[in-house]
Amino acid sequence: MPRRFRAPRRPVKSLGPDCFRLMIDDEERALVARLFEQLRGLVTEAPAADPRLRRLFPTAYHDDPERDVEYQRLMRDELLASRLASLAEVEQVLTREFLTSDQLASFMRSLNAVRLVLGTLLDVGEDTDPSELDQEDPLFVEHQLYAWLSWMLEHVVGALRQGLA
């Protein structure tokens, strides 16, 4: 008797307006919690010029350093506060199975921030394909984590879109 095809699991599902089910196991939740904790430490303790933060606090004026310094002076605290607020909300709801659209949006922002930092560390570009990486590469596990975060983010965005439709 042939086996039935089983679609890959989805980590999040829209259940209707403003209700989403987060379907990740305890191990994945613990991993995400650790990643969010590490992100909080990085954004609160690392100096502003830390290259790991480059994608979280991007240059606004590439060809005008003086304007960019002023922009960073005016906006960095607001961007930091926004990131920390998302992390605080997510840390409170990460153990829940059902989330509102605001909670899932905070989860998405924090997940993307972790992915951006990891992508910066790995020097990931648009042409990077983790499936082409040799398992002997010393950063193989980190690339697999980046791929998992990307997969998770794709499903969160899809669920949010579906919930808005």
Side-chain angles (χ1 to χ4, degrees):
M1 187 162 166
R3 286 176 160 175
R4 293 183 64 180
F5 172 74
R6 179 181 255 186
R9 70 176 176 92
R10 291 183 299 178
V12 63
K13 181 178 181 180
S14 174
L15 299 176
D18 207 33
C19 186
F20 300 87
R21 184 173 179 203
L22 186 59
M23 301 177 296
I24 58 175
D25 64 31
D26 291 342
E27 188 176 320
E28 291 168 322
R29 287 175 192 268
L31 171 62
V32 170
R34 281 192 311 274
L35 292 170
F36 288 169
E37 183 180 321
Q38 291 171 2
L39 177 63
R40 175 185 297 287
L42 179 65
V43 298
T44 58
E45 298 168 14
D50 189 314
R52 297 173 295 176
L53 299 175
R54 178 174 45 99
R55 292 183 183 171
L56 293 183
F57 303 101
T59 300
Y61 300 97
H62 294 278
D63 44 346
D64 190 342
E66 287 180 26
R67 278 183 81 187
D68 193 62
V69 166
E70 183 64 13
Y71 172 82
Q72 295 297 331
R73 185 184 69 74
L74 293 171
M75 297 304 299
R76 185 177 176 81
D77 288 344
E78 187 176 320
L79 289 170
L80 177 60
S82 173
R83 295 211 184 276
L84 292 175
S86 287
L87 282 168
E89 182 170 9
V90 169
E91 289 166 344
Q92 292 176 356
V93 301
L94 193 55
T95 58
R96 297 182 190 165
E97 183 178 356
F98 299 99
L99 304 177
T100 66
S101 57
D102 286 344
Q103 292 165 337
L104 189 59
S106 290
F107 182 77
M108 176 188 66
R109 285 188 296 275
S110 296
L111 200 63
N112 190 50
V114 169
R115 186 177 158 276
L116 288 170
V117 170
L118 184 57
T120 300
L121 290 170
L122 297 172
D123 196 28
V124 171
E126 290 182 25
D127 297 336
T128 304
D129 183 356
S131 67
E132 294 177 359
L133 199 63
D134 183 356
Q135 290 185 359
E136 300 302 317
D137 188 295
L139 296 175
F140 179 78
V141 172
E142 288 81 357
H143 278 277
Q144 294 304 303
L145 176 58
Y146 181 84
W148 182 79
L149 290 168
S150 298
W151 170 80
M152 177 79 88
L153 187 61
E154 177 183 343
H155 283 277
V156 169
V157 169
L160 282 168
R161 278 190 189 138
Q162 185 179 2
L164 293 174

